[in-house]
């Protein structure tokens, strides 16, 4: 019988219908390696388990429990939840780390109820103290850093995509097929999956390493192209403030902030964004923040690592041409 380390940290690894592991996996396994030995629970569709397991090992999973089942793409949440219950029973981990994705959040919440465990959500890091695992959170628009810890049992922690920089060392693949006991809980069935046509080759906003975001200062949908151009020069994802979304410059899916997406990239460039608290809530944990704004009093400069007081239409074209020259 396989044994698991006493300090096992169980990491839920999601895959898509092409068998690719979720982009947050490297950060989750990196976080797990900071506090114990990463053991991955890999959820995959039929035929995709082996390649995805190899990927999980290369990202630092010491052991991989593979749950490869058709139901993963045919039913919502319950297959992953049942697999997590079976894996946790087997591994007896000291904590469970799950990505703070839509699916991850649902599995985490339901598993916490099912197992009567403590749940800590939207962590931006994890560590250990004398009493056990501690989750770190950035709250109230990044104004406060707070820590949470469970007073009993192994905590379930959802981790914000892109927030953890640490990476675990690659491991040789040690794979075990997980036997899952179905709970027989009522489940919603997925009757069809249609790929949305890709409208952009840019990275997805959630989990992107670089983000260029535009605000009301861009002035119009036509002029917002400047944000796209800088993003393309840097290989970055495009985001926006709510004012830019409300003005129709970009779709709502690009909105960053309290009522939009939360991002934690290595580099965040804010163009013509004032830096309202609701916007900061979604980007303040970015590692390096660059702001370009013509108002030197704009609050975005309070949190910027680098600021340029100037007109985006003058500064950004120069920035793009400097980047192009470097590439050239
Ligand atoms: C409940 C609630 C939830 C909200 N949720 C969100 C949210 O999720 N995300 C979000 O972003 N907002 C959110 N908001 C709105 C938020 O309060 C701000 O209104 C919004 O962020 C402002 O967007 P902005 O910075 O683009 O616009 P503005 O505040 O109008 O700022 C535009 C900036 O552009 C600068 N500028 C103008 N022209 C130029 C130029 N040519 N060159 C350089 N700089 C220029 C100006 O100096 C100014 O600082 C929320 C508000 C509420 C009440």
């Amino acid at each position: 019988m396989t044994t698991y380390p006493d300090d096992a940290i169980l990491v839920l690894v999601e895959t898509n219908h092409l068998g690719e592991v979720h982009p947050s996996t490297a950060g989750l396994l990196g976080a797990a390696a900071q506090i114990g030995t990463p053991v991955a629970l890999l959820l995959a569709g039929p035929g995709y388990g082996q390649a995805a397991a190899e990927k999980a090992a290369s990202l630092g999973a010491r052991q991989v429990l593979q749950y490869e089942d058709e139901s993963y793409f045919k039913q919502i949440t319950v297959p992953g939840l049942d697999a997590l219950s079976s894996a946790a029973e087997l591994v007896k981990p000291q904590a469970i780390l799950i990505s703070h994705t839509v699916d991850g959040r649902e599995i985490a919440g339901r598993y916490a109820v099912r197992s009567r465990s403590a749940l800590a959500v939207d962590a931006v890091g994890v560590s250990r103290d004398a009493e056990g695992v501690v989750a770190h959170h950035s709250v109230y628009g990044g104004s406060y850093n707070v820590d949470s810890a469970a007073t009993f049992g192994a905590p379930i922690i959802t981790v914000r995509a892109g927030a953890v920089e640490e990476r675990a060392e690659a491991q040789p693949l040690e794979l075990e097929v997980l036997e899952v006991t179905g709970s027989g809980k009522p489940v919603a069935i997925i009757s069809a999956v249609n790929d949305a046509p890709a409208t952009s080759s840019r990275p997805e906003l959630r989990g992107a390493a670089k983000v260029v975001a535009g605000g009301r200062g861009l002035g119009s949908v036509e002029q917002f192209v400047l944000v796209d151009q800088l993003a393309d020069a840097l290989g970055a994802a495009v985001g926006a403030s709510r004012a830019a979304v409300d003005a129709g410059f970009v779709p709502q899916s690009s909105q960053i902030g309290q009522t939009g997406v939360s991002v934690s990239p290595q580099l965040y460039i804010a163009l013509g964004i004032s830096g309202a608290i609701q916007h900061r809530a979604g980007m303040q944990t970015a590692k390096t923040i660059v702001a370009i704004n013509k108002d030197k009093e704009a609050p975005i400069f309070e949190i910027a690592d680098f600021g340029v007081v100037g007109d985006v239409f003058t500064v950004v074209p120069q920035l793009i041409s400097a980047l192009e020259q470097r590439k050239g």
Side-chain angles (χ1 to χ4, degrees):
M1 208 184 92
T2 315
T3 54
Y4 298 92
D6 290 342
D7 65 347
I9 305 297
L10 187 59
V11 173
L12 185 82
V13 177
E14 299 173 60
T15 56
N16 64 15
H17 67 293
L18 300 172
E20 297 157 342
V21 301
H22 192 274
S24 62
T25 305
L28 278 182
L29 289 164
Q34 300 296 302
I35 53 173
T37 304
V39 175
L41 163 60
L42 176 77
L43 306 178
Y48 291 119
Q50 178 73 27
E54 280 167 15
K55 182 72 186 171
S58 76
L59 295 173
R62 183 75 65 81
Q63 285 158 294
V64 179
L65 282 166
Q66 177 191 292
Y67 178 60
E68 187 189 270
D69 197 87
E70 212 182 1
S71 63
Y72 180 48
F73 291 121
K74 296 248 160 104
Q75 302 174 3
I76 293 179
T77 312
V78 173
L81 180 60
D82 289 349
L84 181 59
S85 298
S86 299
E89 214 165 284
L90 207 61
V91 175
K92 307 220 176 339
Q94 293 193 342
I96 298 177
L97 302 188
I98 300 178
S99 184
H100 195 70
T101 56
V102 172
D103 292 337
R105 280 181 297 209
E106 189 170 354
I107 291 180
R110 289 181 65 169
Y111 180 67
V113 172
R114 188 184 272 191
S115 62
R116 304 256 185 280
S117 305
L119 175 65
V121 298
D122 198 20
V124 293
V126 289
S127 64
R128 247 182 203 282
D129 67 10
E131 291 171 54
V133 172
V134 180
H136 307 294
H137 310 260
S138 170
V139 301
Y140 294 123
S143 310
Y144 296 92
N145 295 326
V146 296
D147 294 345
S148 67
T151 53
F152 62 94
I156 298 156
I157 303 170
T158 67
V159 181
R160 189 182 295 183
V164 177
E165 278 179 73
E166 286 85 5
R167 294 293 178 260
E169 264 180 44
Q171 301 292 326
L173 177 59
E174 194 180 312
L175 181 69
E176 190 187 343
V177 173
L178 178 70
E179 295 292 330
V180 175
T181 316
S183 61
K185 292 285 180 203
V187 62
I189 305 290
I190 299 166
S191 54
V193 176
N194 299 312
D195 279 329
T199 50
S200 155
S201 55
R202 294 191 191 107
E204 208 196 317
L205 187 52
R206 272 176 219 273
K210 297 176 204 162
V211 173
V212 179
R216 199 191 325 252
L218 270 298
S220 70
V221 66
E222 292 76 23
Q223 295 184 153
F224 200 88
V225 167
L226 193 63
V227 179
D228 300 342
Q229 288 168 345
L230 180 57
D232 289 343
L234 287 163
V238 168
S241 70
R242 176 156 144 188
V245 170
D246 289 349
F249 302 168
V250 276
Q252 206 277 332
S253 54
S254 307
Q255 183 176 318
I256 292 168
Q258 184 184 321
T259 41
V261 173
S262 288
V263 294
S264 264
Q266 297 298 313
L267 174 66
Y268 188 91
I269 304 186
L271 306 179
I273 291 179
S274 60
I277 185 80
Q278 296 90 351
H279 185 77
R280 287 154 63 153
M283 47 67 72
Q284 190 145 336
T285 52
K287 301 297 171 301
T288 301
I289 298 171
V290 178
I292 304 175
N293 194 306
K294 66 182 185 186
D295 173 11
K296 69 176 183 357
E297 304 293 336
I300 192 78
F301 289 127
E302 290 165 16
I303 56 161
D305 299 285
F306 299 97
V308 179
V309 178
D311 189 313
V312 287
F313 302 108
T314 314
V315 177
V316 176
Q318 293 178 45
L319 184 54
I320 293 171
S321 88
L323 285 165
E324 299 298 344
Q325 270 175 22
R326 265 194 177 195
K327 276 187 206 161

